[in-house]
Amino acid sequence: RPGAVVAIGDVAVDLVDEGIDIAVSVRELTDSSNIARRLSAVRLIVCAAPAYLVRHGTPLRPEDLTTHNCLPYAEAGAHLHTAWQFRRDGEMFDVRVQGNFVSNVGNALRNLALGGAGLVRLPDYIVATDLASGALVELLADFAPPLRPVHALYPHRDHLPRKVRSFLDFATQAFAENSF
């Protein structure tokens, strides 16, 4: 193959069986069968369009989310109910949210939020431009959970192919230069 095969998604895959050279994961790692290189970390941001907040009010505490239309990011096959994690006084806690739409495509949720359909909790790299322009407003920043790690995963190999090494070097530099 001419270049490295890179997978970016929200489903666990067997890199060897699928013929994937590298996977990028934005979550805590639970599988130790691959080599992991930490690339960065992302912040999950709860946000909404100003128009939504005018119509439905602004949540001031995480518990207020139970009265809002939350649009959760969830893996395929997930239910329309999910828990969003927050931190208060150093302690982690969950708030069960629900809404009329769930997706494992971050940009789909972003577009719905931009249209005033509800609140979303998405990684900073998806909503940073919208927050800077005022198209979306960050909510509950004082309750933000810890950063979520970004890793490059690759199968254990004694001799890492040049294409994989090149991608890892590129990704490490790109994430370092473009962190939010």
Side-chain angles (χ1 to χ4, degrees), residues 152-168:
L153 307 173
Y154 50 98
H156 177 48
R157 297 188 182 149
D158 291 332
H159 301 286
L160 200 59
R162 195 171 92 195
K163 63 185 178 182
V164 172
R165 186 172 299 125
S166 294
F167 178 81
L168 288 171

Side-chain angles (χ1 to χ4, degrees), residues 41-61:
V42 298
R43 191 167 63 101
L44 293 177
I45 299 174
V46 176
C47 54
Y52 176 90
L53 299 173
V54 167
R55 285 192 317 273
H56 301 284
T58 301
L60 302 176
R61 310 172 305 128

Side-chain angles (χ1 to χ4, degrees), residues 110-176:
R110 173 187 162 265
N111 289 336
L112 285 166
L114 287 168
L119 288 85
V120 294
R121 184 184 71 156
L122 292 169
D124 51 10
Y125 62 87
I126 292 178
V127 296
T129 302
D130 302 313
L131 293 169
S133 73
L136 292 176
V137 176
E138 182 173 359
L139 306 167
L140 307 172
D142 292 341
F143 303 96
L147 297 176
R148 184 170 286 183
V150 178
H151 289 95
L153 307 173
Y154 50 98
H156 177 48
R157 297 188 182 149
D158 291 332
H159 301 286
L160 200 59
R162 195 171 92 195
K163 63 185 178 182
V164 172
R165 186 172 299 125
S166 294
F167 178 81
L168 288 171
D169 292 343
F170 165 78
T172 301
Q173 181 177 347
F175 274 97

Side-chain angles (χ1 to χ4, degrees), residues 16-146:
V16 175
D17 285 350
E18 299 290 331
I20 297 171
D21 295 309
I22 302 172
V24 177
S25 172
V26 183
R27 63 175 51 189
E28 294 295 335
L29 299 178
T30 57
D31 179 6
S32 62
S33 65
N34 295 307
I35 305 298
R37 179 189 282 186
R38 187 177 172 106
L39 298 173
S40 185
V42 298
R43 191 167 63 101
L44 293 177
I45 299 174
V46 176
C47 54
Y52 176 90
L53 299 173
V54 167
R55 285 192 317 273
H56 301 284
T58 301
L60 302 176
R61 310 172 305 128
E63 295 82 2
D64 295 342
L65 296 175
T66 60
T67 63
H68 285 271
N69 189 41
C70 297
L71 309 172
Y73 180 93
E75 293 181 19
H79 302 288
L80 291 177
H81 309 282
T82 190
W84 286 358
Q85 192 173 60
F86 295 94
R87 180 173 46 190
R88 179 186 292 129
D89 300 326
E91 298 290 322
M92 301 302 293
F93 66 99
D94 292 339
V95 173
R96 188 174 166 95
V97 299
Q98 58 185 335
N100 60 3
F101 190 86
V102 64
S103 178
N104 68 345
V105 179
N107 277 316
L109 296 171
R110 173 187 162 265
N111 289 336
L112 285 166
L114 287 168
L119 288 85
V120 294
R121 184 184 71 156
L122 292 169
D124 51 10
Y125 62 87
I126 292 178
V127 296
T129 302
D130 302 313
L131 293 169
S133 73
L136 292 176
V137 176
E138 182 173 359
L139 306 167
L140 307 172
D142 292 341
F143 303 96

